[in-house]
Amino acid sequence: MKLQMLGLCRFSYVGLRGYQVEHASFEERRAYLYAPERLARRWLWFTEVALPGWRAQTDPDFTLVVMTGPDLPEPYLSRLRDLATEIPQLRLELVPPMERHLAACRAAVAPHLDDGADVIGHFRHDDDDAVALDYVARTRADFARVAPLWQEEGKLSLDYARGLMLKMEGGRMEITPRLCHNMGVALTIFLRPDAAETALSFDHSKLAQWMPGVSINRPLMFIRSIHGDSDSGAMGPGTPWQVEPGTEGRLLRERFGLKRGALKELAQRLG
């Protein structure tokens, strides 16, 4: 069974709906998203936190579509084009502002569907979150174990629940280990190739309404960022877990390709 891993990352896309912070018009939305200070911060999150894990995936067979608008201010549009040239798995899609957010997401993803795939593993990825270096490899292996569930209904979610909450505020960094179900990051929605939906079509907090789900609580698989520009600044429901003393730096390095010192410096730059 051929599985395509296909993700969508929205980078300051000027569209209505689909976010917790809403605006009444495209003009208001554009002014908010394209504010120079905000764009500078989002670029730091994207390049310093989100991208390292995608650059170094142990299984390079995936596609990550970065969705933004054709009027994204420079130098960011050119920088995204450069990244799409540099990183083989990254695809840039320039989608004009659309009122129907799910239709916009579908327009971004549709050109990259593999017609030869038997199943598409759709995933969403916020531009300030991170997944572990083996997210794609483990998702493939774990899907193979539960594929019969998907075959019955043509829909299945696979959730990696063990993560770290990364809070940056006032120039300081705080990391909180949490077990959280269906947070949206490191969550894969398996659909048939001809399905009209994408990962964004389903409220990740209510997936049981539409499909069976499997949750795996090991290993550590995601970092979710919380900061002043977050669409949702709340940590959300979850259960604490303990990191062995003195191992936090090693976990960041080995699981995500990140350095604790660099994250602390990022907090100061963002602060």
mmCIF file with all atom_site columns, all heavy atoms in Angstrom, residues 12 77-78 172 190 193 241 254 260 262:
data_model
loop_
_atom_site.group_PDB
_atom_site.id
_atom_site.type_symbol
_atom_site.label_atom_id
_atom_site.label_alt_id
_atom_site.label_comp_id
_atom_site.label_asym_id
_atom_site.label_entity_id
_atom_site.label_seq_id
_atom_site.pdbx_PDB_ins_code
_atom_site.Cartn_x
_atom_site.Cartn_y
_atom_site.Cartn_z
_atom_site.occupancy
_atom_site.B_iso_or_equiv
_atom_site.pdbx_formal_charge
_atom_site.auth_seq_id
_atom_site.auth_comp_id
_atom_site.auth_asym_id
_atom_site.auth_atom_id
_atom_site.pdbx_PDB_model_num
ATOM 1  N N   . SER A 1 12  ? 1.160  33.205 7.284  1.00 0.00 ? 12  SER A N   1
ATOM 2  C CA  . SER A 1 12  ? 0.537  34.534 7.188  1.00 0.00 ? 12  SER A CA  1
ATOM 3  C C   . SER A 1 12  ? -0.374 34.630 5.968  1.00 0.00 ? 12  SER A C   1
ATOM 4  O O   . SER A 1 12  ? -0.316 35.611 5.202  1.00 0.00 ? 12  SER A O   1
ATOM 5  C CB  . SER A 1 12  ? 1.610  35.632 7.158  1.00 0.00 ? 12  SER A CB  1
ATOM 6  O OG  . SER A 1 12  ? 2.330  35.642 8.373  1.00 0.00 ? 12  SER A OG  1
ATOM 7  N N   . LEU A 1 77  ? 8.521  36.869 0.693  1.00 0.00 ? 77  LEU A N   1
ATOM 8  C CA  . LEU A 1 77  ? 8.094  36.060 -0.440 1.00 0.00 ? 77  LEU A CA  1
ATOM 9  C C   . LEU A 1 77  ? 9.309  35.485 -1.175 1.00 0.00 ? 77  LEU A C   1
ATOM 10 O O   . LEU A 1 77  ? 9.339  34.301 -1.523 1.00 0.00 ? 77  LEU A O   1
ATOM 11 C CB  . LEU A 1 77  ? 7.234  36.897 -1.384 1.00 0.00 ? 77  LEU A CB  1
ATOM 12 C CG  . LEU A 1 77  ? 6.627  36.140 -2.568 1.00 0.00 ? 77  LEU A CG  1
ATOM 13 C CD1 . LEU A 1 77  ? 5.815  34.942 -2.096 1.00 0.00 ? 77  LEU A CD1 1
ATOM 14 C CD2 . LEU A 1 77  ? 5.755  37.089 -3.406 1.00 0.00 ? 77  LEU A CD2 1
ATOM 15 N N   . SER A 1 78  ? 10.317 36.298 -1.390 1.00 0.00 ? 78  SER A N   1
ATOM 16 C CA  . SER A 1 78  ? 11.529 35.809 -2.054 1.00 0.00 ? 78  SER A CA  1
ATOM 17 C C   . SER A 1 78  ? 12.245 34.767 -1.191 1.00 0.00 ? 78  SER A C   1
ATOM 18 O O   . SER A 1 78  ? 12.795 33.785 -1.707 1.00 0.00 ? 78  SER A O   1
ATOM 19 C CB  . SER A 1 78  ? 12.478 36.970 -2.355 1.00 0.00 ? 78  SER A CB  1
ATOM 20 O OG  . SER A 1 78  ? 11.928 37.828 -3.338 1.00 0.00 ? 78  SER A OG  1
ATOM 21 N N   . ARG A 1 172 ? 11.974 35.457 27.969 1.00 0.00 ? 172 ARG A N   1
ATOM 22 C CA  . ARG A 1 172 ? 12.297 34.231 28.685 1.00 0.00 ? 172 ARG A CA  1
ATOM 23 C C   . ARG A 1 172 ? 11.653 33.020 28.020 1.00 0.00 ? 172 ARG A C   1
ATOM 24 O O   . ARG A 1 172 ? 10.633 33.131 27.351 1.00 0.00 ? 172 ARG A O   1
ATOM 25 C CB  . ARG A 1 172 ? 11.837 34.331 30.141 1.00 0.00 ? 172 ARG A CB  1
ATOM 26 C CG  . ARG A 1 172 ? 12.534 35.445 30.913 1.00 0.00 ? 172 ARG A CG  1
ATOM 27 C CD  . ARG A 1 172 ? 12.207 35.370 32.389 1.00 0.00 ? 172 ARG A CD  1
ATOM 28 N NE  . ARG A 1 172 ? 12.919 36.376 33.152 1.00 0.00 ? 172 ARG A NE  1
ATOM 29 C CZ  . ARG A 1 172 ? 12.921 36.439 34.474 1.00 0.00 ? 172 ARG A CZ  1
ATOM 30 N NH1 . ARG A 1 172 ? 12.243 35.539 35.183 1.00 0.00 ? 172 ARG A NH1 1
ATOM 31 N NH2 . ARG A 1 172 ? 13.594 37.390 35.094 1.00 0.00 ? 172 ARG A NH2 1
ATOM 32 N N   . PHE A 1 190 ? -5.546 10.189 7.716  1.00 0.00 ? 190 PHE A N   1
ATOM 33 C CA  . PHE A 1 190 ? -5.401 9.333  6.538  1.00 0.00 ? 190 PHE A CA  1
ATOM 34 C C   . PHE A 1 190 ? -6.725 9.294  5.774  1.00 0.00 ? 190 PHE A C   1
ATOM 35 O O   . PHE A 1 190 ? -7.760 8.910  6.314  1.00 0.00 ? 190 PHE A O   1
ATOM 36 C CB  . PHE A 1 190 ? -4.981 7.925  6.957  1.00 0.00 ? 190 PHE A CB  1
ATOM 37 C CG  . PHE A 1 190 ? -3.668 7.889  7.698  1.00 0.00 ? 190 PHE A CG  1
ATOM 38 C CD1 . PHE A 1 190 ? -3.645 7.865  9.079  1.00 0.00 ? 190 PHE A CD1 1
ATOM 39 C CD2 . PHE A 1 190 ? -2.465 7.909  7.010  1.00 0.00 ? 190 PHE A CD2 1
ATOM 40 C CE1 . PHE A 1 190 ? -2.436 7.842  9.770  1.00 0.00 ? 190 PHE A CE1 1
ATOM 41 C CE2 . PHE A 1 190 ? -1.256 7.892  7.685  1.00 0.00 ? 190 PHE A CE2 1
ATOM 42 C CZ  . PHE A 1 190 ? -1.251 7.869  9.073  1.00 0.00 ? 190 PHE A CZ  1
ATOM 43 N N   . PRO A 1 193 ? -7.272 8.978  -1.757 1.00 0.00 ? 193 PRO A N   1
ATOM 44 C CA  . PRO A 1 193 ? -6.733 10.003 -2.669 1.00 0.00 ? 193 PRO A CA  1
ATOM 45 C C   . PRO A 1 193 ? -7.791 10.898 -3.297 1.00 0.00 ? 193 PRO A C   1
ATOM 46 O O   . PRO A 1 193 ? -7.511 12.056 -3.635 1.00 0.00 ? 193 PRO A O   1
ATOM 47 C CB  . PRO A 1 193 ? -6.007 9.170  -3.737 1.00 0.00 ? 193 PRO A CB  1
ATOM 48 C CG  . PRO A 1 193 ? -5.676 7.892  -3.045 1.00 0.00 ? 193 PRO A CG  1
ATOM 49 C CD  . PRO A 1 193 ? -6.812 7.630  -2.101 1.00 0.00 ? 193 PRO A CD  1
ATOM 50 N N   . TRP A 1 241 ? 4.098  15.241 32.235 1.00 0.00 ? 241 TRP A N   1
ATOM 51 C CA  . TRP A 1 241 ? 5.025  14.119 32.346 1.00 0.00 ? 241 TRP A CA  1
ATOM 52 C C   . TRP A 1 241 ? 6.392  14.699 32.688 1.00 0.00 ? 241 TRP A C   1
ATOM 53 O O   . TRP A 1 241 ? 6.649  15.875 32.468 1.00 0.00 ? 241 TRP A O   1
ATOM 54 C CB  . TRP A 1 241 ? 5.062  13.257 31.085 1.00 0.00 ? 241 TRP A CB  1
ATOM 55 C CG  . TRP A 1 241 ? 5.548  13.928 29.847 1.00 0.00 ? 241 TRP A CG  1
ATOM 56 C CD1 . TRP A 1 241 ? 4.832  14.722 29.002 1.00 0.00 ? 241 TRP A CD1 1
ATOM 57 C CD2 . TRP A 1 241 ? 6.876  13.857 29.283 1.00 0.00 ? 241 TRP A CD2 1
ATOM 58 N NE1 . TRP A 1 241 ? 5.618  15.159 27.942 1.00 0.00 ? 241 TRP A NE1 1
ATOM 59 C CE2 . TRP A 1 241 ? 6.874  14.641 28.095 1.00 0.00 ? 241 TRP A CE2 1
ATOM 60 C CE3 . TRP A 1 241 ? 8.057  13.207 29.660 1.00 0.00 ? 241 TRP A CE3 1
ATOM 61 C CZ2 . TRP A 1 241 ? 8.009  14.784 27.297 1.00 0.00 ? 241 TRP A CZ2 1
ATOM 62 C CZ3 . TRP A 1 241 ? 9.182  13.358 28.861 1.00 0.00 ? 241 TRP A CZ3 1
ATOM 63 C CH2 . TRP A 1 241 ? 9.152  14.130 27.695 1.00 0.00 ? 241 TRP A CH2 1
ATOM 64 N N   . GLU A 1 254 ? 18.404 15.674 20.111 1.00 0.00 ? 254 GLU A N   1
ATOM 65 C CA  . GLU A 1 254 ? 18.261 14.374 19.459 1.00 0.00 ? 254 GLU A CA  1
ATOM 66 C C   . GLU A 1 254 ? 16.898 14.194 18.802 1.00 0.00 ? 254 GLU A C   1
ATOM 67 O O   . GLU A 1 254 ? 16.798 13.556 17.760 1.00 0.00 ? 254 GLU A O   1
ATOM 68 C CB  . GLU A 1 254 ? 18.513 13.257 20.465 1.00 0.00 ? 254 GLU A CB  1
ATOM 69 C CG  . GLU A 1 254 ? 19.952 13.206 20.959 1.00 0.00 ? 254 GLU A CG  1
ATOM 70 C CD  . GLU A 1 254 ? 20.182 12.057 21.935 1.00 0.00 ? 254 GLU A CD  1
ATOM 71 O OE1 . GLU A 1 254 ? 19.188 11.368 22.292 1.00 0.00 ? 254 GLU A OE1 1
ATOM 72 O OE2 . GLU A 1 254 ? 21.339 11.863 22.358 1.00 0.00 ? 254 GLU A OE2 1
ATOM 73 N N   . ARG A 1 260 ? 19.170 24.027 23.072 1.00 0.00 ? 260 ARG A N   1
ATOM 74 C CA  . ARG A 1 260 ? 18.546 24.791 24.143 1.00 0.00 ? 260 ARG A CA  1
ATOM 75 C C   . ARG A 1 260 ? 19.086 26.223 24.181 1.00 0.00 ? 260 ARG A C   1
ATOM 76 O O   . ARG A 1 260 ? 18.322 27.183 24.346 1.00 0.00 ? 260 ARG A O   1
ATOM 77 C CB  . ARG A 1 260 ? 18.768 24.094 25.484 1.00 0.00 ? 260 ARG A CB  1
ATOM 78 C CG  . ARG A 1 260 ? 18.144 24.824 26.657 1.00 0.00 ? 260 ARG A CG  1
ATOM 79 C CD  . ARG A 1 260 ? 18.317 24.079 27.977 1.00 0.00 ? 260 ARG A CD  1
ATOM 80 N NE  . ARG A 1 260 ? 17.818 24.880 29.074 1.00 0.00 ? 260 ARG A NE  1
ATOM 81 C CZ  . ARG A 1 260 ? 16.552 24.981 29.436 1.00 0.00 ? 260 ARG A CZ  1
ATOM 82 N NH1 . ARG A 1 260 ? 15.634 24.291 28.761 1.00 0.00 ? 260 ARG A NH1 1
ATOM 83 N NH2 . ARG A 1 260 ? 16.178 25.741 30.446 1.00 0.00 ? 260 ARG A NH2 1
ATOM 84 N N   . ALA A 1 262 ? 20.254 28.026 21.756 1.00 0.00 ? 262 ALA A N   1
ATOM 85 C CA  . ALA A 1 262 ? 19.733 28.804 20.630 1.00 0.00 ? 262 ALA A CA  1
ATOM 86 C C   . ALA A 1 262 ? 18.285 29.211 20.877 1.00 0.00 ? 262 ALA A C   1
ATOM 87 O O   . ALA A 1 262 ? 17.863 30.307 20.478 1.00 0.00 ? 262 ALA A O   1
ATOM 88 C CB  . ALA A 1 262 ? 19.836 27.987 19.348 1.00 0.00 ? 262 ALA A CB  1
#
